[in-house]
Each structure stands twice: as C-alpha cells, then as structure tokens.
Amino acid sequence: MNRWLSGIWKTRRYRSLAGIALGLVILATLLGILACLKTPVGNPERASIDPRLTGIWLSGNPRPSESAAIIWIFEPYDARTWLITAIEFGHASGNTEPSAVPSSVGSDVLHILESLREHPPGAASVTLSKTWLADLGGRTFLVQEPKAIPSRKSEFRPEFWVFYRVQLQGARLLLSQVKESTEHLDQATSRRKAEGIIARHAADANFYSGTTVLYSVPHAGYDDVKSILKHIGFDP
C-alpha cells in the first residue's frame, strides 16, 4: 500500500488507526451520503478507471472560521481501481456539522485553498479506500472498500462497502446517496442480489435521496494542497 502516494503523498505519520476509523464515520456524517452494503458490487478485477476522475477534488467549506472541508485525492492504483484518500479538516473544537460546498470553481477554489494553506485548521482525519466504478442499470456507481481499518475479528478483510451514484459535470463531480432500504438492499449478502436490486431501480429518481458536489482542483492549486497536507504530517 505504501506505493499509492508516489512521492508527494507519503503518509508515515497517521495520527492513529483509531483516528482513521473515526474519520470514516466523520466523513460519512459530513457528506450525508453513506450507503453501506454487506457485499461489494461491480468487479474491481474487470473495472476500468475513468481518467477524468483522477486528480484532486474539494468539498465542504474550508474557510478557517467555519466547519469542515474535505480534500479528495483520486490516485490510480492500477488500470482498474483508484486508491482514494479523503482528508477532512475542521476546527480545533471538533465541530463536524455539515457545511455548504463552494458555489464556484476555478479561481474561487484556488482562493479557498490558499485560505486553508495560510490559516490551517486545528484538526484533521484521514480515510482510505480502494475504489472502482460499476455500471448497473444504465447508471455509473462509485464503490469504495475502506482500508486501514484493522479488526481482530476480520483482520484486514473488508466488512462493508460504501457506494453512490457518480456523475461528472465539467469540473463538478456529483455523488448521489442511494436509499439503501429499497428492497432491503442494505441486507443483501450476495453480489448478484445487490446488483439486481440496484439495476432495477437505478433509473428511478426516487432511488436517490440527495447529492453532494465535489469541485475539481486545478493543477495550479496542487502546490497549495501539498503545503496543507505537509502541515498535518504528510511528508513530501
């Protein structure tokens, strides 16, 4: 796993594995998009990454006076999957209430990143996931398999998977929450059953309960991201 951050994104100083596990819960709360499955859907051995998603994305509100922001790094692990790193920022007070996403992209995103770099927040948590795309029912879904969450019971075998519909609109990436109670999707224990339920409802707008927007960070903002991550212990 150490090779996933090729150079810039090496992470020898995680605050703790417990903090990472907690970060997954915080991240889900912030986004409001967590849909968990007891089985993966799609096939990471046959999937293909979409290079348009590769890069750095921003969601939340990173202004120092307000609550959390999230920087997402979509880095290809191979031709089929990404290793996604999501870094959540917030105040030292630990406030993790959801906040509005930036209303624009481009220069405004760069301005927000500069603000984060000049006034780094007091807390951060990190989540990692092996991620792939799955096409079901004529729609595309992003499937995340959480990593770095050890368990005495399962060792390093995954116990759940997170997924949501994904749509790319220019420099915006839309992640839509799925109503996992549909046909008891959250109770499905076989890939075939889960995929069947999703395929039957994928085209139905009522299958989704909300959308979170990620904004693409232009390459001109990557140095700011590097500086921000260095502040929280990511070694260059």
Side-chain angles (χ1 to χ4, degrees), residues 29-32 58-72 89 91 95-104 108-109 112 116 172 211-215:
T29 302
L30 287 167
L31 292 177
L58 174 69
S59 67
N61 195 332
R63 291 178 176 84
S65 62
E66 302 179 18
S67 58
I70 303 168
I71 290 175
W72 306 66
F89 298 85
H91 340 212
N95 184 353
T96 57
E97 290 298 315
S99 53
V101 297
S103 59
S104 57
D108 283 353
V109 166
I112 292 168
L116 248 184
R172 304 194 315 160
T211 298
T212 294
V213 183
L214 278 58
Y215 293 90

Side-chain angles (χ1 to χ4, degrees), residues 6-64:
S6 61
I8 292 179
W9 316 115
K10 293 178 183 176
T11 55
R12 292 198 299 267
R13 294 188 212 162
Y14 287 134
R15 296 177 183 270
S16 70
L17 289 174
I20 293 172
L22 177 62
L24 184 66
V25 177
I26 293 172
L27 180 62
T29 302
L30 287 167
L31 292 177
I33 60 171
L34 184 65
C36 290
L37 294 179
K38 294 183 177 180
T39 179
V41 294
N43 187 339
E45 299 304 318
R46 296 183 179 179
S48 297
I49 64 170
D50 183 341
R52 297 175 300 171
L53 273 59
T54 297
I56 303 176
W57 300 81
L58 174 69
S59 67
N61 195 332
R63 291 178 176 84

Side-chain angles (χ1 to χ4, degrees), residues 8-9 56 71 73 109-110 113-118 217-231 234 236:
I8 292 179
W9 316 115
I56 303 176
I71 290 175
I73 302 170
V109 166
L110 295 179
L113 283 172
E114 182 180 2
S115 175
L116 248 184
R117 177 176 56 80
E118 293 179 353
V217 176
H219 283 90
Y222 279 28
D223 283 345
D224 279 339
V225 172
K226 178 180 177 180
S227 177
I228 293 163
L229 297 186
K230 185 175 182 179
H231 174 79
F234 282 67

Side-chain angles (χ1 to χ4, degrees), residues 162-204:
V162 178
F163 85 115
Y164 25 77
R165 183 184 175 188
V166 59
Q167 301 172 81
L168 183 63
Q169 295 182 351
R172 304 194 315 160
L173 188 63
L174 279 57
L175 303 181
S176 297
Q177 179 184 7
V178 169
K179 293 179 181 177
E180 58 184 2
S181 60
T182 303
E183 290 192 48
H184 302 290
L185 174 61
D186 56 344
Q187 298 302 313
T189 56
S190 75
R191 184 192 306 261
R192 183 176 180 180
K193 182 175 181 179
E195 290 181 347
I197 295 172
I198 296 167
R200 283 194 292 275
H201 296 276
D204 182 0

